[in-house]
Amino acid sequence: MATITEKTKEEVKEVVYSFFAEECEVDIEQINENTSIIKDLDGDSLMFLELIEIFKKKYNLDIELKVIGKYAVKHPVSTIGQLIEMQLLIIEHENRLLDIEP
Amino acid sequence: MSDNQLAFIFPAFTSDYTNHPGHGIPGFALQFDTFLRTASNKVDPLLKEFTFTGNTFLEDELLTQYLTYIYSCASASALRNLGFSPSMNAGYSMGIYASLFDAGSVSFETGLELIRLAFQSLKMAISSASFGMVSVIGLSGRDIHHLIDQYDLRVEITNQNASPSFVLSGFLDDVMAFMKLAMEEGALHTRDLGVSIPYHASFLKEGAKHFGKLISSLEIKQPENKIISMIDQTLLLTPSIIRQELINNLYYPLNWFRTKQVMLEHQVSVFVECGPSKGLTKNSKFVEGNFRFYSLNSFPLNQI
């Protein structure tokens, strides 16, 4: 189980903002925590998948996609802020992501 | 053109014509209008009423196929007129017809006829039964097969787009049941593709055979550049191989993921999606390799 530091939080935020700015061809200044991934950025599930792969490589994560899928069904993500929170949980808990639920 | 080996990729259908990516390609509009007029006269006068912002016929499977074909042929022709010649091309699913036109293997009119005959043959073959297709992201092939077996679903994997991205075809009730089960199993996303024919599935074998008889007299020439099969990734080198591929393409499963890998082995380094969407371009990021994949609006006309 990884420890999430302030540096990790900053890194994840930077990667997510840069990723959506480039993929969705928008100015990074237009993105904030409340930006809707679908309504404002026209994002899609392939982008979500690509982002997961980026973080899997960056942090050498051991996590199955279907663990993330099961978690996402119960905790749907619609904004950039929620997505960052989920990515931090994935980095912290990896394949034990579902264990953090009550 | 530099040493980059160029490939044209032709998509199946689109679900949106607004902000279409070809509008900035010099010569595209003229080519599109010419092909649209020809198709209106040849297969369906309704096509004359198409506009990019209004009447797009997206609810009509056959007209949508014609329009995607027209768009694909127009964009590839415009690129060729600008001096771009692919060393190889590939047709994704029903994009095979545009790939054959682009390679000089069939005329534009024959491509239209192939689309019409395939659609009619398959519609007749499935009769009144309800079928559908679904895409699923986030499950492995093994997970999907496990679900199909466990619940005895009449669905088949009919394409692999990326390592965790698949398309399935089957009876509509079972397709809908699969969507629900897949989400419970941990899929990140499922989507009903909104088609009534289970393309690339064995349910269509009889329809495909009928299609084979209907196309036996259509003229198919040797292609002027390499065309790769999405079924087994071999090269379609002769008219007889192409004729068989046209039949098999209707009821054999495809593998787009593997096709891209084999194209890279053939030294392709630049891909252009010659069609009205950017779906294949988005999807390309899940293959490792030293290549660039462009949609029409991102293709750097002066830098390749």
Side-chain angles (χ1 to χ4, degrees):
Chain A
M1 189 163 132
T3 303
I4 302 298
T5 62
E6 286 304 313
K7 182 169 173 266
T8 315
K9 289 180 182 175
E10 276 307 307
E11 278 176 358
V12 169
K13 182 178 175 183
E14 190 181 326
V15 169
V16 170
Y17 275 50
S18 304
F19 174 82
F20 279 102
E22 185 181 339
E23 287 291 318
C24 304
E25 297 170 1
V26 298
D27 192 333
I28 199 164
E29 305 299 324
Q30 291 177 24
I31 301 175
N32 60 54
E33 288 199 347
N34 297 319
T35 301
S36 168
I37 297 165
I38 294 175
K39 287 180 187 167
D40 299 330
L41 298 176
D42 199 21
D44 58 31
S45 50
L46 277 177
M47 290 181 194
F48 184 51
L49 180 61
E50 194 181 350
L51 202 52
I52 290 169
E53 293 298 328
I54 288 170
F55 284 117
K56 276 175 79 172
K57 278 185 189 163
K58 185 174 174 66
Y59 295 104
N60 195 24
L61 300 177
D62 176 23
I63 186 157
E64 283 190 76
L65 284 176
K66 62 183 180 181
V67 170
I68 300 172
K70 284 177 181 170
Y71 185 84
V73 166
K74 292 181 181 173
H75 305 89
V77 161
S78 61
T79 66
I80 289 291
Q82 290 168 342
L83 181 64
I84 291 170
E85 285 299 318
M86 182 189 274
Q87 292 295 350
L88 289 168
L89 287 172
I90 291 168
I91 294 166
E92 186 176 3
H93 297 281
E94 299 179 74
N95 265 328
R96 294 183 295 278
L97 183 65
L98 296 171
D99 296 344
I100 64 175
E101 300 200 271
Chain B
M1 182 87 189
S2 68
D3 291 338
N4 293 313
Q5 293 277 328
L6 181 67
F8 286 175
I9 309 298
F10 298 93
F13 319 115
T14 188
S15 56
D16 185 12
Y17 284 98
T18 55
N19 297 319
H20 69 97
H23 61 85
I25 303 288
F28 168 80
L30 182 61
Q31 285 286 352
F32 183 83
D33 287 346
T34 304
F35 285 145
L36 186 67
R37 202 163 43 247
T38 303
S40 304
N41 294 332
K42 170 83 180 169
V43 288
D44 196 326
L46 267 180
L47 288 167
K48 273 184 195 153
E49 296 172 22
F50 171 83
T51 65
F52 282 107
T53 53
N55 198 355
T56 53
F57 303 111
L58 286 170
E59 72 292 346
D60 187 308
E61 264 176 74
L62 181 55
L63 289 179
T64 300
Q65 280 194 49
Y66 288 144
L67 284 165
T68 302
Y69 172 74
I70 293 164
Y71 194 103
S72 298
C73 293
S75 53
S77 297
L79 288 178
R80 281 183 180 270
N81 289 340
L82 291 169
F84 297 98
S85 297
S87 61
M88 181 179 275
N89 76 25
Y92 179 97
S93 180
M94 297 299 115
I96 190 172
Y97 309 113
S99 79
L100 293 177
F101 165 75
D102 178 66
S105 190
V106 301
S107 69
F108 177 73
E109 289 83 352
T110 299
L112 289 168
E113 187 68 356
L114 287 167
I115 293 169
R116 186 181 72 81
L117 293 173
F119 187 82
Q120 289 178 352
S121 300
L122 300 183
K123 269 289 187 191
M124 205 158 54
I126 62 173
S127 187
S128 58
S130 295
F131 288 92
M133 293 178 74
V134 59
S135 66
V136 56
I137 293 174
L139 294 184
S140 67
R142 186 194 290 183
D143 290 333
I144 292 170
H145 281 300
H146 180 69
L147 282 178
I148 292 170
D149 292 343
Q150 186 180 358
Y151 293 94
D152 201 19
L153 301 173
R154 295 165 300 168
V155 298
E156 299 171 6
I157 292 179
T158 47
N159 189 11
Q160 181 176 13
N161 279 320
S163 171
S165 173
F166 293 86
V167 177
L168 290 87
S169 305
F171 283 83
L172 189 58
D173 288 350
D174 289 4
V175 165
M176 293 299 147
F178 174 82
M179 288 175 73
K180 185 171 177 289
L181 292 165
M183 291 306 289
E184 288 169 4
E185 184 65 17
L188 296 172
H189 183 73
T190 61
R191 185 165 72 95
D192 175 6
L193 298 185
V195 294
S196 64
I197 294 175
Y199 292 102
H200 316 303
S202 61
F203 313 112
L204 298 177
K205 186 173 181 179
E206 291 310 311
K209 283 183 177 173
H210 180 64
F211 170 73
K213 288 176 189 162
L214 296 177
I215 68 168
S216 59
S217 60
L218 293 182
E219 185 181 24
I220 296 174
K221 298 179 196 163
Q222 187 147 333
E224 291 161 12
N225 56 252
K226 294 176 191 166
I227 307 175
I228 189 166
S229 163
M230 254 193 79
I231 298 170
D232 61 7
Q233 292 73 49
T234 55
L235 295 179
L236 307 177
L237 298 171
T238 67
S240 63
I241 290 173
I242 289 170
R243 204 176 292 277
Q244 191 58 50
E245 180 79 4
L246 283 164
I247 299 165
N248 293 349
N249 185 58
L250 299 180
Y251 76 104
Y252 272 70
L254 311 178
N255 194 322
W256 177 228
F257 184 54
R258 180 69 190 135
T259 302
K260 279 181 289 189
Q261 291 173 324
V262 173
M263 291 179 88
L264 293 175
E265 290 166 15
H266 280 279
Q267 312 302 322
V268 170
S269 57
V270 178
F271 297 80
V272 190
E273 181 174 357
C274 294
S277 71
K278 303 175 190 174
L280 298 177
T281 307
K282 286 181 182 177
N283 185 294
S284 70
K285 293 172 183 168
F286 300 98
V287 172
E288 300 281 339
N290 184 22
F291 66 92
R292 288 165 287 160
F293 205 119
Y294 298 103
S295 57
L296 286 171
N297 65 327
S298 64
F299 185 55
L301 294 170
N302 302 319
Q303 294 172 34
I304 299 294

